[in-house]
Amino acid sequence: MSGATLCYQMLNVMCPMHVILNRNGDIGFAGPTAQKLLPDQSLVGRPFLDVFEIKRPREIKSISALREKAGMKLHMQFRDPPHRELKGVLMEGPEVGQMIVNLSFGISVVDAVQEYKLTAADFAPTDLTIEMLYLVEAKSAAMEASRQLNSRLQGARIAAEEQALTDTLTGLKNRRAMDQILADLIVEGESFALMHMDLDYFKVVNDTMGHAAGDHVLQQVSKIMLNEVRSRDTVARVGGDEFVLLLRDVEEPEIIEQIAKRIIKKLSEPIHFEGERCEVSGSAGTTLSRNYPVLTADKLLGDADVALYESKHRGRGRHTFFSEELREKERDPAQATSREPIVKHA
Amino acid sequence: MHGLVNRAIQRFVVDSYGNAQWAAVARNADLGFVEFEAMWTYEDSLTPRVLAAVCDVLDRPYDELMEDIGTYLVSHPNLEALRRLLRFGGVNFLDFLHSLDDLPDRARLAVADLVLPRIELREHNPHQFSLNCEGDIPGCGHLFTGVLRAMADDYGALVFLEHQGVEEGVETVAIALLEADFAEGRGFELGVSV
């Protein structure tokens, strides 16, 4: 057996995706896996550079130029669609003028095994392609399990947020918490005041100075309100710039009026954010539980809303108690102006 | 114990016996939850408790249960991904047997913190083998008996398997490869759309 024949047998096992070029640059032989690259036709007999375009190191047009690239990594692609890219390396063969090009799919191997219907037997036993395909699948399966876990955690987080009772921006009670506390107060029959407070000019701050400034204002406003009430009272943020205060055991309207005025006065002082002045104010309306023979949350909130509207109507920055006259005034088409309800009932 | 192991037991019960039976297992084992997360780690003591609960609820002997879980892991359509990963081990059943020594390393490549039982294949002659398994949970020999039986089917090989007992924590499974190409087997293409 000649040395060349031994060499060819060795190549078929160790580099099954090789081609052997004769001295003219025609493909004289294709290894068992290389034969599968053109399923409908034979590689053998065709000029190598007619089948493959060498893209790097740089375009190579002649066989003599190709011969000079021995030992270098070649980037090439099929001239025919779908122009699959391959990697290759070339060396002189055992016979005069011969060149041997070993080919590989590189990173596109996952698509290539499907396209050419390759099996483990098409790769050399030492080739890591099968291990790589295994890893791609194993990692995809593991990633999918992680993705599912993440999406379940995300769902749990949303559910937890839905059940939360705290407004995350300000740390105040949120709308849901306020509804619960109000319902409890009504059931317990305690005497309390419900104050609905709305920031004036907040939209201007948000629009002209940005949401970060708006968020800062809301945080400062929350602190002001918490400072002015007792620990057993409730301050809740029920909307963008709307707050509900539930003040327990207060019988005297004067005391409530004082609390409201103190809050509004402090709200009217400029709030500084990154060296800029944010100017807001507050309008408020209050209703007292003791004025109702039958209490419902909707009625209380609606009446405080009417009183708040009156404060806005009278020029903002003030506080009003609810009275039946206000309700009458609102019903009277001659005096009423069309308005949106301020508390958006959830 | 890795969540994948616990989750596999859960899926075996759910896919073979239904959600109600699994809920009964979770109660019986006093889990405090129903769903195992595949990608979390659980206390090691949980897994034997769950297996005992499965035996209790389904009224099945432990060894038989372990073998059924092994078979389920390879043959149930819901776990096709796992069957494929095992098939990457070899082009035929003999090749697959020889790849078993690598199995724990292969598993670690996919999921770094997954620890499988230590296994070792011994070849007595071209048709007689034995597999030694040593795991943290008793019965891994029975589990591998189930896995090997299902994989032999998958490759279309005819084998005779026998659990030969435990010695110092090491379980031995005797494998007789009667015919490598006994039946058609199931197809395996290297590339699938992932």
Side-chain angles (χ1 to χ4, degrees), chain B residues 61-89:
Chain B
Y62 183 84
D63 294 349
E64 211 180 286
L65 172 78
M66 292 298 277
E67 187 173 333
D68 276 6
I69 293 176
T71 307
Y72 163 83
L73 290 176
V74 177
S75 57
H76 199 279
N78 286 358
L79 276 82
E80 173 69 7
L82 186 57
R83 172 189 92 94
R84 283 192 54 83
L85 292 179
L86 288 167
R87 281 289 294 252
F88 272 106

PDB file of all heavy atoms in Angstrom, chain B residues 61-89:
ATOM      1  N   PRO B  61     -44.440  -0.652  46.051  1.00  0.00           N
ATOM      2  CA  PRO B  61     -43.141  -0.924  46.687  1.00  0.00           C
ATOM      3  C   PRO B  61     -42.088   0.067  46.172  1.00  0.00           C
ATOM      4  O   PRO B  61     -42.119   0.463  45.000  1.00  0.00           O
ATOM      5  CB  PRO B  61     -42.792  -2.344  46.245  1.00  0.00           C
ATOM      6  CG  PRO B  61     -43.945  -2.852  45.468  1.00  0.00           C
ATOM      7  CD  PRO B  61     -44.864  -1.730  45.149  1.00  0.00           C
ATOM      8  N   TYR B  62     -41.156   0.429  47.041  1.00  0.00           N
ATOM      9  CA  TYR B  62     -40.167   1.473  46.760  1.00  0.00           C
ATOM     10  C   TYR B  62     -39.320   1.149  45.521  1.00  0.00           C
ATOM     11  O   TYR B  62     -39.170   1.982  44.618  1.00  0.00           O
ATOM     12  CB  TYR B  62     -39.275   1.644  47.994  1.00  0.00           C
ATOM     13  CG  TYR B  62     -38.245   2.742  47.863  1.00  0.00           C
ATOM     14  CD1 TYR B  62     -38.562   4.063  48.134  1.00  0.00           C
ATOM     15  CD2 TYR B  62     -36.926   2.442  47.479  1.00  0.00           C
ATOM     16  CE1 TYR B  62     -37.625   5.070  48.031  1.00  0.00           C
ATOM     17  CE2 TYR B  62     -35.989   3.453  47.363  1.00  0.00           C
ATOM     18  CZ  TYR B  62     -36.332   4.757  47.644  1.00  0.00           C
ATOM     19  OH  TYR B  62     -35.401   5.749  47.531  1.00  0.00           O
ATOM     20  N   ASP B  63     -38.757  -0.069  45.454  1.00  0.00           N
ATOM     21  CA  ASP B  63     -37.840  -0.418  44.361  1.00  0.00           C
ATOM     22  C   ASP B  63     -38.541  -0.344  43.003  1.00  0.00           C
ATOM     23  O   ASP B  63     -37.977   0.136  42.014  1.00  0.00           O
ATOM     24  CB  ASP B  63     -37.260  -1.820  44.567  1.00  0.00           C
ATOM     25  CG  ASP B  63     -36.368  -1.880  45.802  1.00  0.00           C
ATOM     26  OD1 ASP B  63     -36.044  -0.804  46.341  1.00  0.00           O
ATOM     27  OD2 ASP B  63     -36.015  -2.995  46.227  1.00  0.00           O
ATOM     28  N   GLU B  64     -39.774  -0.822  43.002  1.00  0.00           N
ATOM     29  CA  GLU B  64     -40.570  -0.813  41.773  1.00  0.00           C
ATOM     30  C   GLU B  64     -40.836   0.627  41.332  1.00  0.00           C
ATOM     31  O   GLU B  64     -40.749   0.956  40.145  1.00  0.00           O
ATOM     32  CB  GLU B  64     -41.893  -1.507  42.090  1.00  0.00           C
ATOM     33  CG  GLU B  64     -42.521  -2.255  40.945  1.00  0.00           C
ATOM     34  CD  GLU B  64     -43.825  -2.893  41.426  1.00  0.00           C
ATOM     35  OE1 GLU B  64     -43.743  -3.898  42.157  1.00  0.00           O
ATOM     36  OE2 GLU B  64     -44.893  -2.352  41.099  1.00  0.00           O
ATOM     37  N   LEU B  65     -41.132   1.466  42.320  1.00  0.00           N
ATOM     38  CA  LEU B  65     -41.383   2.881  42.034  1.00  0.00           C
ATOM     39  C   LEU B  65     -40.153   3.521  41.386  1.00  0.00           C
ATOM     40  O   LEU B  65     -40.256   4.218  40.372  1.00  0.00           O
ATOM     41  CB  LEU B  65     -41.725   3.625  43.328  1.00  0.00           C
ATOM     42  CG  LEU B  65     -41.817   5.145  43.191  1.00  0.00           C
ATOM     43  CD1 LEU B  65     -43.141   5.535  42.556  1.00  0.00           C
ATOM     44  CD2 LEU B  65     -41.634   5.837  44.527  1.00  0.00           C
ATOM     45  N   MET B  66     -38.967   3.242  41.962  1.00  0.00           N
ATOM     46  CA  MET B  66     -37.743   3.837  41.426  1.00  0.00           C
ATOM     47  C   MET B  66     -37.526   3.410  39.975  1.00  0.00           C
ATOM     48  O   MET B  66     -37.143   4.219  39.119  1.00  0.00           O
ATOM     49  CB  MET B  66     -36.527   3.435  42.278  1.00  0.00           C
ATOM     50  CG  MET B  66     -36.523   4.038  43.673  1.00  0.00           C
ATOM     51  SD  MET B  66     -36.451   5.837  43.691  1.00  0.00           S
ATOM     52  CE  MET B  66     -34.704   6.122  43.512  1.00  0.00           C
ATOM     53  N   GLU B  67     -37.766   2.135  39.689  1.00  0.00           N
ATOM     54  CA  GLU B  67     -37.575   1.662  38.312  1.00  0.00           C
ATOM     55  C   GLU B  67     -38.571   2.339  37.373  1.00  0.00           C
ATOM     56  O   GLU B  67     -38.211   2.740  36.259  1.00  0.00           O
ATOM     57  CB  GLU B  67     -37.715   0.136  38.243  1.00  0.00           C
ATOM     58  CG  GLU B  67     -37.365  -0.384  36.868  1.00  0.00           C
ATOM     59  CD  GLU B  67     -37.305  -1.898  36.761  1.00  0.00           C
ATOM     60  OE1 GLU B  67     -37.023  -2.558  37.782  1.00  0.00           O
ATOM     61  OE2 GLU B  67     -37.534  -2.411  35.649  1.00  0.00           O
ATOM     62  N   ASP B  68     -39.805   2.514  37.841  1.00  0.00           N
ATOM     63  CA  ASP B  68     -40.820   3.183  37.017  1.00  0.00           C
ATOM     64  C   ASP B  68     -40.433   4.630  36.729  1.00  0.00           C
ATOM     65  O   ASP B  68     -40.657   5.140  35.631  1.00  0.00           O
ATOM     66  CB  ASP B  68     -42.176   3.156  37.723  1.00  0.00           C
ATOM     67  CG  ASP B  68     -42.912   1.852  37.486  1.00  0.00           C
ATOM     68  OD1 ASP B  68     -42.294   0.953  36.871  1.00  0.00           O
ATOM     69  OD2 ASP B  68     -44.071   1.730  37.912  1.00  0.00           O
ATOM     70  N   ILE B  69     -39.863   5.294  37.737  1.00  0.00           N
ATOM     71  CA  ILE B  69     -39.437   6.685  37.516  1.00  0.00           C
ATOM     72  C   ILE B  69     -38.343   6.714  36.448  1.00  0.00           C
ATOM     73  O   ILE B  69     -38.359   7.542  35.535  1.00  0.00           O
ATOM     74  CB  ILE B  69     -38.940   7.333  38.832  1.00  0.00           C
ATOM     75  CG1 ILE B  69     -40.104   7.494  39.819  1.00  0.00           C
ATOM     76  CG2 ILE B  69     -38.294   8.695  38.556  1.00  0.00           C
ATOM     77  CD1 ILE B  69     -39.706   8.031  41.187  1.00  0.00           C
ATOM     78  N   GLY B  70     -37.399   5.763  36.533  1.00  0.00           N
ATOM     79  CA  GLY B  70     -36.328   5.682  35.537  1.00  0.00           C
ATOM     80  C   GLY B  70     -36.881   5.501  34.127  1.00  0.00           C
ATOM     81  O   GLY B  70     -36.457   6.181  33.187  1.00  0.00           O
ATOM     82  N   THR B  71     -37.842   4.601  33.991  1.00  0.00           N
ATOM     83  CA  THR B  71     -38.456   4.364  32.678  1.00  0.00           C
ATOM     84  C   THR B  71     -39.170   5.615  32.190  1.00  0.00           C
ATOM     85  O   THR B  71     -39.048   6.015  31.026  1.00  0.00           O
ATOM     86  CB  THR B  71     -39.473   3.206  32.769  1.00  0.00           C
ATOM     87  OG1 THR B  71     -38.815   2.082  33.352  1.00  0.00           O
ATOM     88  CG2 THR B  71     -40.018   2.835  31.405  1.00  0.00           C
ATOM     89  N   TYR B  72     -39.890   6.225  33.111  1.00  0.00           N
ATOM     90  CA  TYR B  72     -40.654   7.445  32.775  1.00  0.00           C
ATOM     91  C   TYR B  72     -39.728   8.540  32.238  1.00  0.00           C
ATOM     92  O   TYR B  72     -40.037   9.192  31.241  1.00  0.00           O
ATOM     93  CB  TYR B  72     -41.398   7.930  34.021  1.00  0.00           C
ATOM     94  CG  TYR B  72     -41.873   9.355  33.935  1.00  0.00           C
ATOM     95  CD1 TYR B  72     -43.068   9.673  33.283  1.00  0.00           C
ATOM     96  CD2 TYR B  72     -41.131  10.395  34.492  1.00  0.00           C
ATOM     97  CE1 TYR B  72     -43.499  10.979  33.188  1.00  0.00           C
ATOM     98  CE2 TYR B  72     -41.553  11.698  34.401  1.00  0.00           C
ATOM     99  CZ  TYR B  72     -42.737  11.999  33.750  1.00  0.00           C
ATOM    100  OH  TYR B  72     -43.138  13.299  33.644  1.00  0.00           O
ATOM    101  N   LEU B  73     -38.566   8.709  32.884  1.00  0.00           N
ATOM    102  CA  LEU B  73     -37.647   9.793  32.513  1.00  0.00           C
ATOM    103  C   LEU B  73     -37.241   9.716  31.049  1.00  0.00           C
ATOM    104  O   LEU B  73     -37.031  10.727  30.389  1.00  0.00           O
ATOM    105  CB  LEU B  73     -36.383   9.743  33.385  1.00  0.00           C
ATOM    106  CG  LEU B  73     -36.549  10.126  34.847  1.00  0.00           C
ATOM    107  CD1 LEU B  73     -35.242   9.934  35.594  1.00  0.00           C
ATOM    108  CD2 LEU B  73     -37.018  11.570  34.970  1.00  0.00           C
ATOM    109  N   VAL B  74     -37.122   8.492  30.529  1.00  0.00           N
ATOM    110  CA  VAL B  74     -36.663   8.325  29.151  1.00  0.00           C
ATOM    111  C   VAL B  74     -37.822   8.235  28.170  1.00  0.00           C
ATOM    112  O   VAL B  74     -37.729   8.733  27.051  1.00  0.00           O
ATOM    113  CB  VAL B  74     -35.805   7.045  29.036  1.00  0.00           C
ATOM    114  CG1 VAL B  74     -35.376   6.821  27.592  1.00  0.00           C
ATOM    115  CG2 VAL B  74     -34.597   7.144  29.948  1.00  0.00           C
ATOM    116  N   SER B  75     -38.929   7.622  28.586  1.00  0.00           N
ATOM    117  CA  SER B  75     -39.922   7.248  27.574  1.00  0.00           C
ATOM    118  C   SER B  75     -41.124   8.176  27.505  1.00  0.00           C
ATOM    119  O   SER B  75     -41.866   8.120  26.531  1.00  0.00           O
ATOM    120  CB  SER B  75     -40.396   5.811  27.824  1.00  0.00           C
ATOM    121  OG  SER B  75     -40.923   5.710  29.129  1.00  0.00           O
ATOM    122  N   HIS B  76     -41.332   9.021  28.503  1.00  0.00           N
ATOM    123  CA  HIS B  76     -42.543   9.847  28.426  1.00  0.00           C
ATOM    124  C   HIS B  76     -42.354  11.012  27.462  1.00  0.00           C
ATOM    125  O   HIS B  76     -41.326  11.684  27.492  1.00  0.00           O
ATOM    126  CB  HIS B  76     -42.915  10.385  29.815  1.00  0.00           C
ATOM    127  CG  HIS B  76     -44.345  10.828  29.891  1.00  0.00           C
ATOM    128  ND1 HIS B  76     -44.763  12.047  29.431  1.00  0.00           N
ATOM    129  CD2 HIS B  76     -45.455  10.196  30.328  1.00  0.00           C
ATOM    130  CE1 HIS B  76     -46.073  12.156  29.604  1.00  0.00           C
ATOM    131  NE2 HIS B  76     -46.521  11.042  30.149  1.00  0.00           N
ATOM    132  N   PRO B  77     -43.343  11.235  26.583  1.00  0.00           N
ATOM    133  CA  PRO B  77     -43.193  12.311  25.591  1.00  0.00           C
ATOM    134  C   PRO B  77     -42.947  13.685  26.221  1.00  0.00           C
ATOM    135  O   PRO B  77     -42.289  14.534  25.608  1.00  0.00           O
ATOM    136  CB  PRO B  77     -44.533  12.319  24.838  1.00  0.00           C
ATOM    137  CG  PRO B  77     -45.311  11.166  25.320  1.00  0.00           C
ATOM    138  CD  PRO B  77     -44.602  10.488  26.448  1.00  0.00           C
ATOM    139  N   ASN B  78     -43.443  13.919  27.437  1.00  0.00           N
ATOM    140  CA  ASN B  78     -43.215  15.218  28.084  1.00  0.00           C
ATOM    141  C   ASN B  78     -41.749  15.459  28.408  1.00  0.00           C
ATOM    142  O   ASN B  78     -41.344  16.580  28.680  1.00  0.00           O
ATOM    143  CB  ASN B  78     -44.018  15.314  29.390  1.00  0.00           C
ATOM    144  CG  ASN B  78     -45.489  15.504  29.131  1.00  0.00           C
ATOM    145  OD1 ASN B  78     -45.896  15.595  27.970  1.00  0.00           O
ATOM    146  ND2 ASN B  78     -46.281  15.564  30.174  1.00  0.00           N
ATOM    147  N   LEU B  79     -40.954  14.389  28.439  1.00  0.00           N
ATOM    148  CA  LEU B  79     -39.538  14.533  28.778  1.00  0.00           C
ATOM    149  C   LEU B  79     -38.644  14.216  27.581  1.00  0.00           C
ATOM    150  O   LEU B  79     -37.526  13.740  27.733  1.00  0.00           O
ATOM    151  CB  LEU B  79     -39.168  13.654  29.979  1.00  0.00           C
ATOM    152  CG  LEU B  79     -39.476  14.299  31.332  1.00  0.00           C
ATOM    153  CD1 LEU B  79     -40.932  14.104  31.686  1.00  0.00           C
ATOM    154  CD2 LEU B  79     -38.584  13.781  32.409  1.00  0.00           C
ATOM    155  N   GLU B  80     -39.143  14.506  26.395  1.00  0.00           N
ATOM    156  CA  GLU B  80     -38.394  14.238  25.168  1.00  0.00           C
ATOM    157  C   GLU B  80     -36.994  14.867  25.217  1.00  0.00           C
ATOM    158  O   GLU B  80     -36.019  14.275  24.742  1.00  0.00           O
ATOM    159  CB  GLU B  80     -39.196  14.777  23.972  1.00  0.00           C
ATOM    160  CG  GLU B  80     -38.490  14.740  22.631  1.00  0.00           C
ATOM    161  CD  GLU B  80     -38.290  13.332  22.094  1.00  0.00           C
ATOM    162  OE1 GLU B  80     -38.818  12.374  22.699  1.00  0.00           O
ATOM    163  OE2 GLU B  80     -37.583  13.185  21.078  1.00  0.00           O
ATOM    164  N   ALA B  81     -36.896  16.047  25.806  1.00  0.00           N
ATOM    165  CA  ALA B  81     -35.595  16.737  25.862  1.00  0.00           C
ATOM    166  C   ALA B  81     -34.561  15.863  26.567  1.00  0.00           C
ATOM    167  O   ALA B  81     -33.411  15.773  26.127  1.00  0.00           O
ATOM    168  CB  ALA B  81     -35.739  18.072  26.580  1.00  0.00           C
ATOM    169  N   LEU B  82     -34.968  15.194  27.643  1.00  0.00           N
ATOM    170  CA  LEU B  82     -34.034  14.368  28.401  1.00  0.00           C
ATOM    171  C   LEU B  82     -33.610  13.143  27.590  1.00  0.00           C
ATOM    172  O   LEU B  82     -32.433  12.772  27.555  1.00  0.00           O
ATOM    173  CB  LEU B  82     -34.691  13.938  29.718  1.00  0.00           C
ATOM    174  CG  LEU B  82     -33.797  13.182  30.687  1.00  0.00           C
ATOM    175  CD1 LEU B  82     -32.568  14.000  31.041  1.00  0.00           C
ATOM    176  CD2 LEU B  82     -34.569  12.834  31.956  1.00  0.00           C
ATOM    177  N   ARG B  83     -34.569  12.511  26.933  1.00  0.00           N
ATOM    178  CA  ARG B  83     -34.239  11.369  26.076  1.00  0.00           C
ATOM    179  C   ARG B  83     -33.211  11.792  25.032  1.00  0.00           C
ATOM    180  O   ARG B  83     -32.220  11.102  24.809  1.00  0.00           O
ATOM    181  CB  ARG B  83     -35.501  10.853  25.353  1.00  0.00           C
ATOM    182  CG  ARG B  83     -35.196   9.791  24.296  1.00  0.00           C
ATOM    183  CD  ARG B  83     -36.394   9.440  23.438  1.00  0.00           C
ATOM    184  NE  ARG B  83     -36.483  10.223  22.228  1.00  0.00           N
ATOM    185  CZ  ARG B  83     -35.989   9.855  21.038  1.00  0.00           C
ATOM    186  NH1 ARG B  83     -35.356   8.700  20.907  1.00  0.00           N
ATOM    187  NH2 ARG B  83     -36.114  10.628  19.981  1.00  0.00           N
ATOM    188  N   ARG B  84     -33.424  12.941  24.425  1.00  0.00           N
ATOM    189  CA  ARG B  84     -32.484  13.404  23.397  1.00  0.00           C
ATOM    190  C   ARG B  84     -31.091  13.605  23.988  1.00  0.00           C
ATOM    191  O   ARG B  84     -30.095  13.212  23.391  1.00  0.00           O
ATOM    192  CB  ARG B  84     -32.981  14.715  22.777  1.00  0.00           C
ATOM    193  CG  ARG B  84     -34.095  14.536  21.780  1.00  0.00           C
ATOM    194  CD  ARG B  84     -34.335  15.811  20.982  1.00  0.00           C
ATOM    195  NE  ARG B  84     -33.124  16.314  20.348  1.00  0.00           N
ATOM    196  CZ  ARG B  84     -32.650  15.871  19.187  1.00  0.00           C
ATOM    197  NH1 ARG B  84     -33.288  14.926  18.535  1.00  0.00           N
ATOM    198  NH2 ARG B  84     -31.549  16.382  18.690  1.00  0.00           N
ATOM    199  N   LEU B  85     -31.029  14.209  25.170  1.00  0.00           N
ATOM    200  CA  LEU B  85     -29.723  14.455  25.787  1.00  0.00           C
ATOM    201  C   LEU B  85     -29.008  13.129  26.041  1.00  0.00           C
ATOM    202  O   LEU B  85     -27.797  13.015  25.841  1.00  0.00           O
ATOM    203  CB  LEU B  85     -29.873  15.257  27.078  1.00  0.00           C
ATOM    204  CG  LEU B  85     -30.340  16.699  26.880  1.00  0.00           C
ATOM    205  CD1 LEU B  85     -30.484  17.409  28.215  1.00  0.00           C
ATOM    206  CD2 LEU B  85     -29.382  17.478  25.976  1.00  0.00           C
ATOM    207  N   LEU B  86     -29.771  12.107  26.467  1.00  0.00           N
ATOM    208  CA  LEU B  86     -29.148  10.802  26.697  1.00  0.00           C
ATOM    209  C   LEU B  86     -28.688  10.183  25.384  1.00  0.00           C
ATOM    210  O   LEU B  86     -27.630   9.551  25.313  1.00  0.00           O
ATOM    211  CB  LEU B  86     -30.131   9.869  27.417  1.00  0.00           C
ATOM    212  CG  LEU B  86     -30.380  10.201  28.894  1.00  0.00           C
ATOM    213  CD1 LEU B  86     -31.581   9.431  29.426  1.00  0.00           C
ATOM    214  CD2 LEU B  86     -29.147   9.909  29.741  1.00  0.00           C
ATOM    215  N   ARG B  87     -29.462  10.388  24.317  1.00  0.00           N
ATOM    216  CA  ARG B  87     -29.092   9.792  23.024  1.00  0.00           C
ATOM    217  C   ARG B  87     -27.803  10.391  22.468  1.00  0.00           C
ATOM    218  O   ARG B  87     -27.117   9.769  21.650  1.00  0.00           O
ATOM    219  CB  ARG B  87     -30.233   9.976  22.007  1.00  0.00           C
ATOM    220  CG  ARG B  87     -31.373   8.987  22.172  1.00  0.00           C
ATOM    221  CD  ARG B  87     -31.019   7.565  21.757  1.00  0.00           C
ATOM    222  NE  ARG B  87     -30.747   7.371  20.360  1.00  0.00           N
ATOM    223  CZ  ARG B  87     -31.556   6.742  19.508  1.00  0.00           C
ATOM    224  NH1 ARG B  87     -32.706   6.271  19.906  1.00  0.00           N
ATOM    225  NH2 ARG B  87     -31.205   6.577  18.248  1.00  0.00           N
ATOM    226  N   PHE B  88     -27.469  11.600  22.891  1.00  0.00           N
ATOM    227  CA  PHE B  88     -26.194  12.176  22.456  1.00  0.00           C
ATOM    228  C   PHE B  88     -25.009  11.347  22.962  1.00  0.00           C
ATOM    229  O   PHE B  88     -23.898  11.493  22.485  1.00  0.00           O
ATOM    230  CB  PHE B  88     -26.053  13.623  22.969  1.00  0.00           C
ATOM    231  CG  PHE B  88     -26.645  14.648  22.053  1.00  0.00           C
ATOM    232  CD1 PHE B  88     -27.830  15.276  22.369  1.00  0.00           C
ATOM    233  CD2 PHE B  88     -26.019  14.967  20.865  1.00  0.00           C
ATOM    234  CE1 PHE B  88     -28.385  16.220  21.519  1.00  0.00           C
ATOM    235  CE2 PHE B  88     -26.558  15.910  20.004  1.00  0.00           C
ATOM    236  CZ  PHE B  88     -27.754  16.539  20.334  1.00  0.00           C
ATOM    237  N   GLY B  89     -25.276  10.488  23.953  1.00  0.00           N
ATOM    238  CA  GLY B  89     -24.204   9.685  24.526  1.00  0.00           C
ATOM    239  C   GLY B  89     -23.608   8.685  23.553  1.00  0.00           C
ATOM    240  O   GLY B  89     -22.431   8.332  23.657  1.00  0.00           O
TER     241      GLY B  89
END
